[in-house]
Amino acid sequence: MNDVIWWLRRDLRLNDNPALQQALARGQGLVPVFILDDDLIRNAAPVRLDFLYAGLHDLDARLRRLGSRLIVRRGPVETALAQLVQQTGATAIFAGADYSPYARRRDERVKREGLPLVLVEPGVTARSPESVLTANGRPYTVFTPYSRAWRAVPLDAALSPAPRALPPVPSLESLSLPEPGRPPLFPAGEAEALRRLDGFLSGPVYAYAEERDRLDREATAFLSPYFRFGMLSAAAAIQACMNLEAAAQDERHRNGCAT
């Protein structure tokens, strides 16, 4: 076998997924994998785990409709990935870049094992942290000048659509996904994330500047958990708001979209 591994972490989606697109561009077999990392799971709140597990079930169903499936492993990520590379002969492991301290340490462990990890920018953000710096090359420490500099850099408008088909996954052992333990406060999955984004952009976004802090009103997008696990990309949401801002007919609508 001569496959590539698509290691999902916080990008549980098929639309606008640069790591998936780069993995597919290799023109080889594709092995989607999610690793249940005990270091993260043991400290996670039950409601967060329920949302994650429901999202993984949804993603697996979407992959199966395209001819693929999700391989689930558990344990230290470097051990699980080393086993998969040995079993598949994979020439690369593609993953979206993540910039949290834990993620950086985890990815360094994987690289120290000599595994062919390819971190695809910008990963969990719309653009990498190093792409917007002060004139002397240091990170901003005040939000307003940072936001002005961020908006001055053109955002890549090329958002990749979900693939229409995927190569079949070879015969590999996969753990059963845990079942969510309670009805979700937020239905998980990419389709629900896109539905909520559409609903927000259909009207509530225009009042976001003045109403987002009103706890007596449902004036926000209700998208935080979907961003947390990458069921919706930050770039897609930002691009949609920028498009609305450019087409807005009055200052209130523009301010809402900009905010």
Side-chain angles (χ1 to χ4, degrees):
M1 289 183 284
N2 192 22
D3 300 313
V4 296
I5 293 169
W6 173 32
W7 179 19
L8 293 113
R9 291 107 69 88
R10 289 205 287 149
D11 57 342
L12 306 184
R13 65 181 184 276
L14 299 179
N15 286 281
D16 188 37
N17 194 312
L20 171 59
Q21 292 301 317
Q22 287 202 26
L24 289 173
R26 282 289 186 96
Q28 298 169 297
L30 181 74
V31 180
V33 61
F34 188 89
I35 301 170
L36 297 168
D37 186 340
D38 289 320
D39 287 340
L40 294 176
I41 289 173
R42 72 169 59 96
N43 296 317
V47 67
R48 174 176 288 186
L49 290 179
D50 285 339
F51 186 77
L52 169 62
Y53 296 151
L56 290 171
H57 278 284
D58 178 79
L59 177 64
D60 182 49
R62 292 169 69 86
L63 289 170
R64 289 177 184 273
R65 289 195 292 270
L66 297 178
S68 182
R69 65 189 174 102
L70 184 64
I71 299 298
V72 180
R73 298 290 173 91
R74 185 163 193 157
V77 294
E78 59 269 32
T79 302
L81 290 172
Q83 291 173 343
L84 274 170
V85 168
Q86 183 179 31
Q87 293 165 357
T88 62
T91 58
I93 302 167
F94 288 91
D98 196 337
Y99 312 101
S100 69
Y102 177 83
R104 290 178 187 269
R105 294 193 299 268
R106 175 195 60 198
D107 293 344
E108 284 301 317
R109 294 201 314 269
V110 171
K111 291 178 179 179
R112 283 198 299 269
E113 292 296 319
L115 296 169
L117 178 61
V118 179
L119 295 176
V120 181
E121 300 279 1
V124 299
T125 56
R127 52 170 63 105
S128 67
E130 292 80 10
S131 66
V132 183
L133 301 173
T134 63
N136 62 3
R138 299 186 61 82
Y140 283 88
T141 58
V142 179
F143 177 75
T144 298
Y146 169 75
S147 67
R148 289 172 181 159
W150 195 102
R151 287 174 61 87
V153 179
L155 190 67
D156 185 3
L159 304 178
S160 59
R164 295 186 177 184
L166 291 170
V169 174
S171 179
L172 290 168
E173 179 184 358
S174 179
L175 299 176
S176 297
L177 281 169
E179 294 291 336
R182 56 184 61 78
L185 296 172
F186 290 80
E190 182 176 9
E192 176 67 14
L194 292 171
R195 186 192 71 78
R196 286 174 179 248
L197 177 63
D198 286 344
F200 179 62
L201 298 179
S202 68
V205 66
Y206 295 126
Y208 187 74
E210 65 260 27
E211 293 191 1
R212 68 190 186 279
D213 296 326
R214 289 288 301 270
L215 300 184
D216 59 326
R217 299 182 183 179
E218 294 189 351
T220 60
F222 299 95
L223 287 172
S224 293
Y226 303 94
F227 287 129
R228 171 64 179 80
F229 288 109
M231 297 170 191
L232 175 67
S233 80
I238 292 167
Q239 191 64 256
C241 285
M242 284 183 166
N243 291 341
L244 279 183
E245 180 186 2
Q249 299 299 310
D250 58 55
E251 185 176 3
R252 177 174 178 270
H253 284 192
R254 282 192 295 273
N255 286 342
C257 297
T259 302

mmCIF file with all atom_site columns, all heavy atoms in Angstrom, residues 21 40 69-70 100 106 147 201 203 205 234 253:
data_model
loop_
_atom_site.group_PDB
_atom_site.id
_atom_site.type_symbol
_atom_site.label_atom_id
_atom_site.label_alt_id
_atom_site.label_comp_id
_atom_site.label_asym_id
_atom_site.label_entity_id
_atom_site.label_seq_id
_atom_site.pdbx_PDB_ins_code
_atom_site.Cartn_x
_atom_site.Cartn_y
_atom_site.Cartn_z
_atom_site.occupancy
_atom_site.B_iso_or_equiv
_atom_site.pdbx_formal_charge
_atom_site.auth_seq_id
_atom_site.auth_comp_id
_atom_site.auth_asym_id
_atom_site.auth_atom_id
_atom_site.pdbx_PDB_model_num
ATOM 1  N N   . GLN A 1 21  ? -7.483  18.798 1.285  1.00 0.00 ? 21  GLN A N   1
ATOM 2  C CA  . GLN A 1 21  ? -7.187  19.089 -0.115 1.00 0.00 ? 21  GLN A CA  1
ATOM 3  C C   . GLN A 1 21  ? -5.738  18.753 -0.476 1.00 0.00 ? 21  GLN A C   1
ATOM 4  O O   . GLN A 1 21  ? -5.466  18.198 -1.543 1.00 0.00 ? 21  GLN A O   1
ATOM 5  C CB  . GLN A 1 21  ? -7.475  20.570 -0.406 1.00 0.00 ? 21  GLN A CB  1
ATOM 6  C CG  . GLN A 1 21  ? -8.951  20.933 -0.357 1.00 0.00 ? 21  GLN A CG  1
ATOM 7  C CD  . GLN A 1 21  ? -9.783  20.149 -1.355 1.00 0.00 ? 21  GLN A CD  1
ATOM 8  O OE1 . GLN A 1 21  ? -9.393  19.973 -2.490 1.00 0.00 ? 21  GLN A OE1 1
ATOM 9  N NE2 . GLN A 1 21  ? -10.935 19.678 -0.904 1.00 0.00 ? 21  GLN A NE2 1
ATOM 10 N N   . LEU A 1 40  ? -6.148  14.525 26.541 1.00 0.00 ? 40  LEU A N   1
ATOM 11 C CA  . LEU A 1 40  ? -7.192  15.530 26.377 1.00 0.00 ? 40  LEU A CA  1
ATOM 12 C C   . LEU A 1 40  ? -8.533  15.054 26.917 1.00 0.00 ? 40  LEU A C   1
ATOM 13 O O   . LEU A 1 40  ? -9.282  15.817 27.529 1.00 0.00 ? 40  LEU A O   1
ATOM 14 C CB  . LEU A 1 40  ? -7.336  15.894 24.897 1.00 0.00 ? 40  LEU A CB  1
ATOM 15 C CG  . LEU A 1 40  ? -6.149  16.600 24.252 1.00 0.00 ? 40  LEU A CG  1
ATOM 16 C CD1 . LEU A 1 40  ? -6.406  16.808 22.765 1.00 0.00 ? 40  LEU A CD1 1
ATOM 17 C CD2 . LEU A 1 40  ? -5.878  17.936 24.932 1.00 0.00 ? 40  LEU A CD2 1
ATOM 18 N N   . ARG A 1 69  ? -14.269 6.096  5.036  1.00 0.00 ? 69  ARG A N   1
ATOM 19 C CA  . ARG A 1 69  ? -14.712 5.904  6.418  1.00 0.00 ? 69  ARG A CA  1
ATOM 20 C C   . ARG A 1 69  ? -13.652 6.465  7.348  1.00 0.00 ? 69  ARG A C   1
ATOM 21 O O   . ARG A 1 69  ? -12.517 6.718  6.931  1.00 0.00 ? 69  ARG A O   1
ATOM 22 C CB  . ARG A 1 69  ? -14.968 4.428  6.741  1.00 0.00 ? 69  ARG A CB  1
ATOM 23 C CG  . ARG A 1 69  ? -13.733 3.544  6.697  1.00 0.00 ? 69  ARG A CG  1
ATOM 24 C CD  . ARG A 1 69  ? -14.107 2.067  6.807  1.00 0.00 ? 69  ARG A CD  1
ATOM 25 N NE  . ARG A 1 69  ? -12.951 1.211  6.633  1.00 0.00 ? 69  ARG A NE  1
ATOM 26 C CZ  . ARG A 1 69  ? -12.300 0.606  7.623  1.00 0.00 ? 69  ARG A CZ  1
ATOM 27 N NH1 . ARG A 1 69  ? -12.715 0.773  8.872  1.00 0.00 ? 69  ARG A NH1 1
ATOM 28 N NH2 . ARG A 1 69  ? -11.255 -0.162 7.391  1.00 0.00 ? 69  ARG A NH2 1
ATOM 29 N N   . LEU A 1 70  ? -14.047 6.680  8.603  1.00 0.00 ? 70  LEU A N   1
ATOM 30 C CA  . LEU A 1 70  ? -13.137 7.233  9.596  1.00 0.00 ? 70  LEU A CA  1
ATOM 31 C C   . LEU A 1 70  ? -12.495 6.092  10.376 1.00 0.00 ? 70  LEU A C   1
ATOM 32 O O   . LEU A 1 70  ? -13.187 5.231  10.921 1.00 0.00 ? 70  LEU A O   1
ATOM 33 C CB  . LEU A 1 70  ? -13.894 8.156  10.551 1.00 0.00 ? 70  LEU A CB  1
ATOM 34 C CG  . LEU A 1 70  ? -13.060 8.885  11.605 1.00 0.00 ? 70  LEU A CG  1
ATOM 35 C CD1 . LEU A 1 70  ? -12.078 9.848  10.946 1.00 0.00 ? 70  LEU A CD1 1
ATOM 36 C CD2 . LEU A 1 70  ? -13.970 9.635  12.581 1.00 0.00 ? 70  LEU A CD2 1
ATOM 37 N N   . SER A 1 100 ? -1.945  26.003 19.705 1.00 0.00 ? 100 SER A N   1
ATOM 38 C CA  . SER A 1 100 ? -2.003  25.985 21.157 1.00 0.00 ? 100 SER A CA  1
ATOM 39 C C   . SER A 1 100 ? -0.731  25.340 21.709 1.00 0.00 ? 100 SER A C   1
ATOM 40 O O   . SER A 1 100 ? -0.080  24.532 21.027 1.00 0.00 ? 100 SER A O   1
ATOM 41 C CB  . SER A 1 100 ? -3.233  25.204 21.631 1.00 0.00 ? 100 SER A CB  1
ATOM 42 O OG  . SER A 1 100 ? -3.071  23.823 21.349 1.00 0.00 ? 100 SER A OG  1
ATOM 43 N N   . ARG A 1 106 ? 2.623   18.325 21.210 1.00 0.00 ? 106 ARG A N   1
ATOM 44 C CA  . ARG A 1 106 ? 2.196   17.051 20.617 1.00 0.00 ? 106 ARG A CA  1
ATOM 45 C C   . ARG A 1 106 ? 2.813   16.850 19.241 1.00 0.00 ? 106 ARG A C   1
ATOM 46 O O   . ARG A 1 106 ? 3.340   15.776 18.924 1.00 0.00 ? 106 ARG A O   1
ATOM 47 C CB  . ARG A 1 106 ? 0.662   17.038 20.518 1.00 0.00 ? 106 ARG A CB  1
ATOM 48 C CG  . ARG A 1 106 ? 0.073   15.834 19.815 1.00 0.00 ? 106 ARG A CG  1
ATOM 49 C CD  . ARG A 1 106 ? -1.371  16.101 19.459 1.00 0.00 ? 106 ARG A CD  1
ATOM 50 N NE  . ARG A 1 106 ? -1.487  17.257 18.573 1.00 0.00 ? 106 ARG A NE  1
ATOM 51 C CZ  . ARG A 1 106 ? -2.616  17.936 18.371 1.00 0.00 ? 106 ARG A CZ  1
ATOM 52 N NH1 . ARG A 1 106 ? -3.716  17.593 19.012 1.00 0.00 ? 106 ARG A NH1 1
ATOM 53 N NH2 . ARG A 1 106 ? -2.637  18.961 17.556 1.00 0.00 ? 106 ARG A NH2 1
ATOM 54 N N   . SER A 1 147 ? -6.240  44.304 14.926 1.00 0.00 ? 147 SER A N   1
ATOM 55 C CA  . SER A 1 147 ? -7.391  44.065 14.054 1.00 0.00 ? 147 SER A CA  1
ATOM 56 C C   . SER A 1 147 ? -7.299  44.889 12.776 1.00 0.00 ? 147 SER A C   1
ATOM 57 O O   . SER A 1 147 ? -7.669  44.417 11.695 1.00 0.00 ? 147 SER A O   1
ATOM 58 C CB  . SER A 1 147 ? -8.695  44.362 14.795 1.00 0.00 ? 147 SER A CB  1
ATOM 59 O OG  . SER A 1 147 ? -8.816  45.742 15.093 1.00 0.00 ? 147 SER A OG  1
ATOM 60 N N   . LEU A 1 201 ? -26.496 34.885 9.137  1.00 0.00 ? 201 LEU A N   1
ATOM 61 C CA  . LEU A 1 201 ? -26.231 35.846 8.072  1.00 0.00 ? 201 LEU A CA  1
ATOM 62 C C   . LEU A 1 201 ? -27.505 36.350 7.404  1.00 0.00 ? 201 LEU A C   1
ATOM 63 O O   . LEU A 1 201 ? -27.471 37.356 6.691  1.00 0.00 ? 201 LEU A O   1
ATOM 64 C CB  . LEU A 1 201 ? -25.324 35.211 7.008  1.00 0.00 ? 201 LEU A CB  1
ATOM 65 C CG  . LEU A 1 201 ? -23.932 34.787 7.490  1.00 0.00 ? 201 LEU A CG  1
ATOM 66 C CD1 . LEU A 1 201 ? -23.163 34.149 6.348  1.00 0.00 ? 201 LEU A CD1 1
ATOM 67 C CD2 . LEU A 1 201 ? -23.154 35.965 8.066  1.00 0.00 ? 201 LEU A CD2 1
ATOM 68 N N   . GLY A 1 203 ? -29.938 37.783 8.796  1.00 0.00 ? 203 GLY A N   1
ATOM 69 C CA  . GLY A 1 203 ? -30.512 38.954 9.463  1.00 0.00 ? 203 GLY A CA  1
ATOM 70 C C   . GLY A 1 203 ? -29.843 39.333 10.763 1.00 0.00 ? 203 GLY A C   1
ATOM 71 O O   . GLY A 1 203 ? -29.460 40.505 10.949 1.00 0.00 ? 203 GLY A O   1
ATOM 72 N N   . VAL A 1 205 ? -26.928 39.098 11.955 1.00 0.00 ? 205 VAL A N   1
ATOM 73 C CA  . VAL A 1 205 ? -25.583 39.671 11.868 1.00 0.00 ? 205 VAL A CA  1
ATOM 74 C C   . VAL A 1 205 ? -25.618 41.193 11.758 1.00 0.00 ? 205 VAL A C   1
ATOM 75 O O   . VAL A 1 205 ? -24.712 41.882 12.245 1.00 0.00 ? 205 VAL A O   1
ATOM 76 C CB  . VAL A 1 205 ? -24.809 39.063 10.670 1.00 0.00 ? 205 VAL A CB  1
ATOM 77 C CG1 . VAL A 1 205 ? -25.437 39.462 9.333  1.00 0.00 ? 205 VAL A CG1 1
ATOM 78 C CG2 . VAL A 1 205 ? -23.341 39.479 10.696 1.00 0.00 ? 205 VAL A CG2 1
ATOM 79 N N   . ALA A 1 234 ? -13.102 29.008 10.225 1.00 0.00 ? 234 ALA A N   1
ATOM 80 C CA  . ALA A 1 234 ? -13.105 30.440 10.504 1.00 0.00 ? 234 ALA A CA  1
ATOM 81 C C   . ALA A 1 234 ? -13.076 31.238 9.210  1.00 0.00 ? 234 ALA A C   1
ATOM 82 O O   . ALA A 1 234 ? -13.757 32.259 9.071  1.00 0.00 ? 234 ALA A O   1
ATOM 83 C CB  . ALA A 1 234 ? -11.911 30.794 11.389 1.00 0.00 ? 234 ALA A CB  1
ATOM 84 N N   . HIS A 1 253 ? -25.742 48.086 9.128  1.00 0.00 ? 253 HIS A N   1
ATOM 85 C CA  . HIS A 1 253 ? -25.499 46.748 8.594  1.00 0.00 ? 253 HIS A CA  1
ATOM 86 C C   . HIS A 1 253 ? -24.008 46.503 8.395  1.00 0.00 ? 253 HIS A C   1
ATOM 87 O O   . HIS A 1 253 ? -23.496 45.421 8.690  1.00 0.00 ? 253 HIS A O   1
ATOM 88 C CB  . HIS A 1 253 ? -26.245 46.579 7.267  1.00 0.00 ? 253 HIS A CB  1
ATOM 89 C CG  . HIS A 1 253 ? -27.713 46.377 7.439  1.00 0.00 ? 253 HIS A CG  1
ATOM 90 N ND1 . HIS A 1 253 ? -28.529 45.976 6.411  1.00 0.00 ? 253 HIS A ND1 1
ATOM 91 C CD2 . HIS A 1 253 ? -28.519 46.511 8.546  1.00 0.00 ? 253 HIS A CD2 1
ATOM 92 C CE1 . HIS A 1 253 ? -29.775 45.866 6.853  1.00 0.00 ? 253 HIS A CE1 1
ATOM 93 N NE2 . HIS A 1 253 ? -29.787 46.205 8.132  1.00 0.00 ? 253 HIS A NE2 1
#
